[in-house]
Amino acid sequence: MFNLLILSLCWILVSSEKVRYDNFTLYNVQPATERHFEFIKSLHKNSEILDFWSIPSTIRDDVSVVSPPQSRKEFEQELARRGIKYDIVLENIQQAFDEQTQTRSKRDVDNGLYWTNYQTIDEIYEWFEYLAKNYSSVVTIIHAGQSHEGRNITGVKISRQSGRRAIFIDGGQVGADWLSPTVVTYIINQLAMGDDPEARAASEEFEWHIFPILNPDGHQFSQDSVRLWMKNRRPTSRTTFGVDLTKNWNSQWGVSGGSYNPADSNYIGLGPFSEPETRSVSRYIETIGSNLAGLLSFRAFGQRLLIPFAHSSDPMYNYQDMVTIGRRAMGSLAVKYNTQYLVGTSRNVHDGSTGSIADWVKHRFNPPVVATYQLRDRTWGYTLPVNQVLPSCEETFDSLMAILREAKFINVL
C-alpha cells in the first residue's frame, strides 16, 4: 500500500549525528469500528514507514502514529477512504523536540537540577552526588550494575531509620521516554528534601530504593542521535541494535505485546533477562526482595495505572485491593490538573504486553503494592511540551502519597 521510504538503517544506528524529524507529522487516529481497528492493526504490523507510538489494542482506543512527509498524503487518504477519524497533533515534531531542549541552560535551583524541563543522565547523577554530600544521613548512592556500553545504573537509597520495609521505584526503561526520569527525581527531591509532612513520614516509614534511568545507553542515544530510540544498545545482529527492556523481565515473557524481530522497536530479546540492564537490576532487587513492601515503575505515556498481571483479565493475588487503592489514588492525582487515569490490568485497559518488571516482582516476591504508571499524556506522546513537566511531577507525587495512604487505610501496608 505504501511506497517504502528507503533509509540507511545502519547509518541511523551508529551515526553520531542527530537524526532530524523535520515535517514528520504526529496523528491521533481514532478507530471506531472493528473494520477500522483491523486496518490500523494491519498497518502497525506491516508498515515499514509509519512509526506507532502506541499499539492498537481495542476499538475506540486512540492510537498515536507518526508519518514522514513523503507518506503523509497517502496515509491521510487511506484513513479518509475508510472513514477513520484522526486529528493532526503536530505537523512538525522536530519543532517540538527542539523546544524540549532549548531552555535547558536556564536553571531554577542552585544545586543543578530543575523540574521545569527534561533532565539528562549527567545532570541527574551529578545531583545524586550533591544529595549524598549534603544529606548524607538520609541519602546514599546505590548501583545496580552497568549497561551494555558500560554506563552505571545508578540510584539513591533514602532512609531515615534502619530496619524499614523497602519500596523500589524505577523509570527510564525506554530511551525516548524523558518524562519518567524527571518525575522520579522529583519524587526523590520530595522524599529527601521536601517539606511535605506526608513525604517526611514516608521517608521515615520506608526505605526507598530509586533508580530514575534503567536504560542509560538508550537514554543517552535518544539525547545524542535518535530522539525516538526505544531500546537499549546491545547489538542483536550485524545491522540491528537493542531490546525493549520493558518486555525483557521473567514474567510470562514473550506471551503477548512484543516482537521476536530484532529490527522492531518492541523486540523482546532472546529470552527473559537476556540484557545486562534487566539482569543487573533483577539481581539488585533480589537482595531486597524479602523486605519489599512495594514496587512502582514509571514510563511514558498513556495515563494509566497498570495492575499485575498483563497476561490475564482474571483478578490475581490482591488485585481487587490494588484496584481500589489505584482508583482512589488516581482521584488524588486528578485534583490539581484534572488529569484522568485508567486503572486495571494491561490486558483490560492497555495492550496486554507481558514481561514487565512489575509483573515479575509481583510473581517473584508478592509485595502488597505493585503497579506501573503510564504518565502523561494520551495525545502528545514523546513530544509532551515542557510546560507539562512540572505539573506531571506534582500530580504524580500527590498520587504516590495517596497510594501509601489508601494502602494503609485498607490494611494492605
Side-chain angles (χ1 to χ4, degrees):
M1 182 191 316
F2 291 95
N3 296 319
L4 293 182
L5 177 64
I6 304 301
L7 296 173
S8 176
L9 180 61
C10 294
W11 181 88
I12 288 176
L13 294 175
V14 301
S15 172
S16 60
E17 296 183 44
K18 273 196 174 181
V19 173
R20 292 188 61 84
Y21 301 89
D22 294 294
N23 300 315
F24 279 57
T25 304
L26 173 60
Y27 295 89
N28 187 30
V29 181
Q30 302 140 24
T33 68
E34 187 66 33
R35 182 173 295 180
H36 292 172
F37 180 59
E38 291 302 322
F39 174 72
I40 298 301
K41 280 207 306 183
S42 71
L43 284 184
H44 174 257
K45 181 179 180 180
N46 299 315
S47 175
E48 297 183 34
I49 300 175
L50 300 175
D51 186 9
F52 280 74
W53 288 2
S54 55
I55 298 174
S57 53
T58 62
I59 297 174
R60 297 185 179 87
D61 192 10
D62 295 354
V63 182
S64 297
V65 185
V66 172
S67 172
Q70 296 89 333
S71 302
R72 174 176 173 175
K73 182 177 180 181
E74 188 174 0
F75 178 51
E76 292 179 1
Q77 288 175 343
E78 292 292 343
L79 293 177
R81 188 161 67 89
R82 291 166 172 80
I84 301 175
K85 292 183 179 180
Y86 64 89
D87 295 320
I88 295 176
V89 180
L90 286 170
E91 293 192 345
N92 183 0
I93 66 173
Q94 184 60 50
Q95 181 178 351
F97 290 152
D98 291 342
E99 291 172 354
Q100 288 179 340
T101 59
Q102 67 184 7
T103 59
R104 276 187 171 162
S105 61
K106 301 176 182 178
R107 301 298 176 87
D108 296 330
V109 291
D110 294 336
N111 63 27
L113 210 62
Y114 51 92
W115 289 273
T116 55
N117 208 325
Y118 299 101
Q119 300 160 355
T120 68
I121 189 171
D122 289 339
E123 291 166 345
I124 292 171
Y125 285 5
E126 288 173 9
W127 184 63
F128 284 174
E129 297 290 343
Y130 168 88
L131 290 180
K133 178 180 178 181
N134 292 277
Y135 298 86
S136 57
S137 62
V138 179
V139 178
T140 305
I141 294 177
I142 53 180
H143 301 283
Q146 291 188 327
S147 65
H148 169 76
E149 293 180 341
R151 292 182 176 86
N152 289 328
I153 302 171
T154 302
V156 293
K157 180 174 73 173
I158 299 174
S159 177
R160 298 183 188 272
Q161 298 187 37
S162 61
R164 300 302 187 183
R165 290 176 297 170
I167 294 179
F168 185 95
I169 286 179
D170 78 86
Q173 291 192 52
V174 173
D177 169 17
W178 293 1
L179 180 60
S180 69
T182 306
V183 168
V184 170
T185 59
Y186 184 88
I187 293 170
I188 292 171
N189 186 67
Q190 295 301 308
L191 291 171
M193 299 190 296
D195 54 8
D196 181 270
E198 279 193 303
R200 174 71 186 217
S203 66
E204 292 174 346
E205 187 172 356
F206 299 99
E207 180 181 274
W208 298 80
H209 299 248
I210 307 180
F211 292 86
I213 302 178
L214 293 195
N215 181 11
D217 296 348
H219 179 86
Q220 193 61 50
F221 194 68
S222 75
Q223 299 271 346
D224 295 339
S225 299
V226 181
R227 174 64 185 88
L228 293 175
W229 188 258
M230 309 291 284
K231 303 181 283 185
N232 72 350
R233 291 292 298 159
R234 185 180 66 80
T236 52
S237 75
R238 288 190 300 173
T239 59
T240 60
F241 287 70
V243 167
D244 182 353
L245 299 185
T246 69
K247 300 173 179 62
N248 191 241
W249 304 82
N250 192 16
S251 176
Q252 305 293 324
W253 175 86
V255 170
S256 63
S259 170
Y260 291 91
N261 181 354
D264 290 342
S265 61
N266 61 340
Y267 173 53
I268 62 177
L270 293 175
F273 299 137
S274 64
E275 304 312 296
E277 296 86 359
T278 53
R279 281 199 307 274
S280 297
V281 174
S282 68
R283 289 168 184 161
Y284 182 90
I285 295 175
E286 291 276 359
T287 67
I288 61 173
S290 62
N291 195 39
L292 268 180
L295 174 139
L296 295 171
S297 183
F298 294 82
R299 68 179 75 155
F301 54 93
Q303 291 176 199
R304 294 173 172 90
L305 187 74
L306 305 180
I307 312 299
F309 290 88
H311 69 281
S312 176
S313 297
D314 297 330
M316 302 177 72
Y317 294 59
N318 65 328
Y319 169 80
Q320 295 295 351
D321 285 340
M322 269 307 300
V323 167
T324 299
I325 293 167
R327 287 174 177 167
R328 292 174 179 174
M330 295 310 102
S332 295
L333 181 147
V335 169
K336 271 195 174 79
Y337 302 104
N338 197 33
T339 308
Q340 301 297 315
Y341 272 59
L342 298 174
V343 179
T345 67
S346 180
R347 182 171 290 268
N348 286 337
V349 301
H350 189 40
D351 61 10
S353 293
T354 60
S356 71
I357 185 174
D359 283 10
W360 173 69
V361 164
K362 187 63 177 179
H363 175 71
R364 178 73 177 83
F365 306 105
N366 193 23
V369 174
V370 177
T372 300
Y373 276 80
Q374 293 186 313
L375 300 165
R376 290 195 188 190
D377 70 342
R378 295 176 184 167
T379 301
W380 294 95
Y382 298 116
T383 66
L384 189 75
V386 295
N387 63 9
Q388 293 194 42
V389 172
L390 183 58
S392 299
C393 293
E394 293 172 340
E395 67 190 11
T396 306
F397 176 74
D398 288 347
S399 72
L400 172 59
M401 293 298 100
I403 284 177
L404 299 181
R405 187 168 60 246
E406 297 298 337
K408 291 178 200 174
F409 181 76
I410 66 172
N411 296 316
V412 169
L413 282 179

